Amino acid sequence: VDTPAGWRLSGLATEPEGLTGELREEELTEAGGRYEVRATLGAGHRTGRFEGVVTLRTGVDEPAMLQVPTTIVVTGLLRCMPAAAFVGLCKVGQEARADVVVRRSDGAPFAIRQVAPNSPDVQIVGPTEVNGGYALQVRLTPKAAGPVEGEIRVTTDVPGEETLIIPVSGSATAGG
């Protein structure tokens, strides 16, 4: 976190329960400061995506606190590379693509039983077996300008990780 002159981050708080945070000062000059903020979800959580908030105490009157939305992804044996399908900036009505590969970290075989996007703007090609994993090609054809968000629900035969959620995001601009 980079801060302006006069600010000195003095602490943090986290929520929900089980989310902990650490604040470390890296550099402090007259021009401002640089801090490292780490958020950790405690051991024993199931796999999945968890939303939380890190609240930073600023050391100034206004704003005395800054709330930073936080997303933590707890992984198990399955790995998505990359962890999300980001298609970038695209034009309305034109297709944008991103590739995601799902693998087991221990190299053991597994099966993907179903792949289902939650948006009509998103189509999936695959899964296609590749090097001990499965490739998914995410195709996004936005119908309106603005941010595009969704998710792909992947059903597997891996105990404890029967459902894997892959976030999809991008931004669409008007054609032209």
Side-chain angles (χ1 to χ4, degrees):
V1 175
D2 291 326
T3 61
W7 283 38
R8 184 178 179 111
L9 297 181
S10 59
L12 60 79
T14 57
E15 57 182 71
E17 187 176 326
L19 180 65
T20 59
E22 177 185 342
L23 176 65
R24 187 173 62 122
E25 184 179 292
E26 292 186 347
E27 180 181 353
L28 191 59
T29 67
E30 289 182 18
R34 176 165 287 186
Y35 298 83
E36 179 179 347
V37 177
R38 290 180 184 233
T40 307
L41 196 57
H45 278 275
R46 68 188 194 300
T47 59
R49 183 180 163 115
F50 298 89
E51 306 293 328
V53 175
V54 174
T55 302
L56 302 171
R57 290 189 288 282
T58 65
V60 296
D61 291 336
E62 277 299 317
M65 304 277 191
L66 291 175
Q67 289 193 326
V68 181
T70 306
T71 301
I72 295 179
V73 178
V74 178
T75 59
L77 290 171
L78 294 180
R79 302 283 187 264
C80 292
M81 300 298 277
F86 177 66
V87 297
L89 184 62
C90 56
K91 291 185 178 182
V92 171
Q94 292 185 350
E95 183 179 270
R97 296 180 182 185
D99 294 317
V100 176
V101 176
V102 180
R103 287 195 170 88
R104 274 186 68 134
S105 61
D106 62 1
F110 72 103
I112 290 181
R113 295 188 169 144
Q114 183 179 23
V115 178
N118 72 344
S119 167
D121 293 347
V122 177
Q123 295 83 40
I124 306 298
V125 175
T128 306
E129 287 190 52
V130 57
N131 299 327
Y134 293 91
L136 304 172
Q137 184 178 75
V138 180
R139 295 182 178 183
L140 174 70
T141 308
K143 294 176 181 54
V148 179
E149 293 183 354
E151 62 185 33
I152 303 163
R153 181 175 296 273
V154 179
T155 305
T156 76
D157 67 349
V158 178
E161 296 182 78
E162 290 85 359
T163 302
L164 182 65
I165 304 296
I166 304 171
V168 177
S169 65
S171 187
T173 61

